[in-house]
Amino acid sequence: MPQALQTYVRVIDAFNRRVGRIVMYGVFVMMGILLYSSISKGLFLPAHWTLEMAQFVMAGYYLLGGAYSLQLDSHVRMDLLYGRWSPRTKAVVDVVTIMMLFVYLFFLLWGGVSSTNYALEYGETSYSSWSPYMAPVKIVMVIGIILTFLQATSIFIKDLAVAMGRPIA
């Protein structure tokens, strides 16, 4: 594989690994918010923002962690036949199936950018009593989709190299 593609794979893998390792602690942030929510409901007036904020943190958690999960190959996979195949056969199948992921991510990104533009242009807020601006969570959504697309491209390059008999070291 050309040096430029090897550099791309190395940089994207390293970046998504760092982002994923940082974002994985978001589950503790969410737990803290929900703990505060439980305590505030029992001891004093309940906070209106806790449930929605926990949902926003969780959305960021799985959207920003998606690329890292893809990198670790920890997504759910139907392994009836796949597990018995050689690494080269797996790579060939993955090269074909990742094209479907690219199509899915393209439309997801298209809708995400459109939704984010709307939120920024019109100052969209949630319909809850807290009524926070929606732009920040939508921006995080678009960033997560982009990172997943970049990681899928890295995986495509690695699988293509394996399929061609020249794996990237």
Side-chain angles (χ1 to χ4, degrees):
M1 279 287 155
Q3 186 63 37
L5 292 179
Q6 291 181 30
T7 302
Y8 174 86
V9 166
R10 202 169 39 255
V11 168
I12 294 301
D13 284 358
F15 184 77
N16 280 329
R17 188 177 310 106
R18 284 189 188 104
V19 170
R21 300 289 291 178
I22 292 168
V23 169
M24 73 180 184
Y25 295 105
V27 75
F28 297 113
V29 173
M30 184 192 66
M31 288 169 46
I33 292 168
L34 293 174
L35 178 64
Y36 175 78
S37 175
S38 297
I39 292 170
S40 72
K41 286 178 186 173
L43 299 179
F44 41 90
L45 288 176
H48 294 289
W49 58 269
T50 54
L51 180 61
E52 199 162 15
M53 188 65 189
Q55 290 171 342
F56 290 163
V57 170
M58 189 63 183
Y61 172 76
Y62 70 78
L63 286 165
L64 293 174
Y68 185 56
S69 178
L70 190 62
Q71 181 183 48
L72 295 177
D73 200 23
S74 60
H75 286 280
V76 176
R77 177 187 312 249
M78 180 64 179
D79 202 10
L80 188 62
L81 301 173
Y82 189 86
R84 295 184 230 165
W85 293 341
S86 70
R88 194 168 187 175
T89 304
K90 289 178 183 179
V92 170
V93 171
D94 288 345
V95 164
V96 173
T97 58
I98 205 161
M99 296 298 184
M100 293 175 232
L101 178 61
F102 285 138
V103 171
Y104 171 74
L105 289 172
F106 170 77
F107 285 110
L108 200 61
L109 183 61
W110 183 27
V113 168
S114 172
S115 182
T116 303
N117 284 337
Y118 178 86
L120 289 169
E121 187 174 340
Y122 296 105
E124 179 186 16
T125 61
S126 170
Y127 292 111
S128 69
S129 61
W130 179 38
S131 191
Y133 285 104
M134 297 300 293
V137 75
K138 291 184 178 193
I139 290 169
V140 168
M141 173 183 67
V142 168
I143 291 169
I145 295 166
I146 290 169
L147 291 177
T148 304
F149 186 84
L150 293 173
Q151 187 62 47
T153 304
S154 171
I155 291 169
F156 174 77
I157 292 167
K158 289 186 274 190
D159 285 339
L160 190 60
V162 171
M164 293 171 33
R166 297 183 229 149
I168 295 176

